[in-house]
């Protein structure tokens, strides 16, 4: 089955916008936290620097999952159930990976 | 951590991110050897931290490529089913592999990637830039899905994006135009890396104090690389990438043979 991009089709553009926003929010937000963490650490507050660094790293780790949630919600709103199911399965795999990581700790 | 250490890590990350973005590859393939050879980090930690850098590169560049309509989102999420499965399974396996075995596999992959880039750099001398996306129909799904599983496994095992497998698979096996294949591969790399990064993070292999400045550097380097890309001749960047890749493979091999790799 072809999955040729339907360039210029409004519903396709909406999906793209949701995906782009979620990626931008996660990655730029994380970058901002990491830069502030670096400044705070150099200024002398090591504990706050570490807290902010951890928050930045966790947000960066969560960005792909955030993108999947945004895509899932958008496909579900459009009643594209097959694609929404694929996103749900991907979130399931990622959740399983997180639980495995916690178990291995 | 001192200000000098922070700046050094940020600069290294920025250089890797920019070079990766200019060469059309993730900077991850260079970060693992740099972290193990010059910063003395155990290879498992280097891979964990690099995966975070791969997520940063993918998120930064994909957000732009998605809005430029060059990413095939449907194809991407379907291939991610295989890449994430391979990546998570390989990340668990990596925990049980000895550092020397992992370093040997990494050196082989680095040399394979460098040789592939030699071929690409040679071919790019007279290659015309693909500006329009021609209509296409995806073929050979089983072949593409199998290649994606392999790419995911390499990502989880070695901390690389896996684009070096995914792009040719989409382009040559599935009939996707090169520009769409490259952008879609970059799009899928983030979720693929995340699946294994959660395992590395949970295992304690992502050291926050090293990862934070490095990832901030990779992120800004990726954006800088994306801005500079249209203004710089890719061929020169590819040759620079090749020289660094061979140098790093040699350095890593030397450390491996002399027992200098940190455990």
């Amino acid at each position: 089955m072809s999955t040729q991009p339907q360039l210029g089709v409004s519903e396709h553009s909406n999906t793209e916008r949701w995906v782009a926003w979620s990626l931008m929010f996660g990655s730029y937000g994380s970058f901002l936290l990491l830069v502030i963490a670096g400044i705070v650490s150099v200024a002398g507050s090591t504990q706050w620097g570490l807290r902010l660094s951890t928050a930045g790293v966790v947000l960066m780790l969560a960005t792909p999952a955030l993108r999947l949630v945004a895509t899932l919600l958008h496909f579900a709103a459009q009643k594209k159930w097959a694609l929404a199911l694929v996103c749900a399965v991907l979130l399931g795999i990622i959740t399983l990976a997180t639980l495995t990581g916690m178990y291995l700790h | 951590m001192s200000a000098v250490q922070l700046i050094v890590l940020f600069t290294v990350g920025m250089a890797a991110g920019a070079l990766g973005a200019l060469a059309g590859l993730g900077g991850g393939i260079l970060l693992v050897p740099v972290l193990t050879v010059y910063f003395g980090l155990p290879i498992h930690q280097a891979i964990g931290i690099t995966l975070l850098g791969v997520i940063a590169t993918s998120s930064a560049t994909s957000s732009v490529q998605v809005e430029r309509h060059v990413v095939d989102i449907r194809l991407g999420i379907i291939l991610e089913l295989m890449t994430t499965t391979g990546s998570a399974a390989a990340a668990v396996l990596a925990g049980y592999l000895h550092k020397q075995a992992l370093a040997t596999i990494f050196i082989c992959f680095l040399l394979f990637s460098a040789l592939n880039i030699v071929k690409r750099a040679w071919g790019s001398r007279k290659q015309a830039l693909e500006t329009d996306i021609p209509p296409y129909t995806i073929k050979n799904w089983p072949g593409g899905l199998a290649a994606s599983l392999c790419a995911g496994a390499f990502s989880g095992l070695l901390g690389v994006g896996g684009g070096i497998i995914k792009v040719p698979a989409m382009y040559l096996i599935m009939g996707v135009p090169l520009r769409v294949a490259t952008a879609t591969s970059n799009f899928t790399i983030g979720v693929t890396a995340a699946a294994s990064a959660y395992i590395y993070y949970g295992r304690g292999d992502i050291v926050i104090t090293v990862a934070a400045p490095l990832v901030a550097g990779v992120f800004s380097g990726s954006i800088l690389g994306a801005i500079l890309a249209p203004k710089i001749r890719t061929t020169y960047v590819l040759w620079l990438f090749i020289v660094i890749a061979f140098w790093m493979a040699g350095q890593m091999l030397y450390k491996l043979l002399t027992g200098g790799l940190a455990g």
Side-chain angles (χ1 to χ4, degrees), chain B residues 24-41:
Chain B
L25 298 153
I29 202 153
L30 297 180
L31 271 181
V32 172
V34 167
L35 289 175
T36 51
V37 173
Y38 297 112
F39 289 85
L41 248 64

Side-chain angles (χ1 to χ4, degrees), chain B residues 35 39 41 50 52 55 60 77 95 113 117-118 120 183 186 243 262:
Chain B
L35 289 175
F39 289 85
L41 248 64
T50 302
L52 206 57
I55 296 173
I77 61 169
S113 304
I117 303 165
V118 168
R120 204 177 116 195
N186 195 26
V243 171

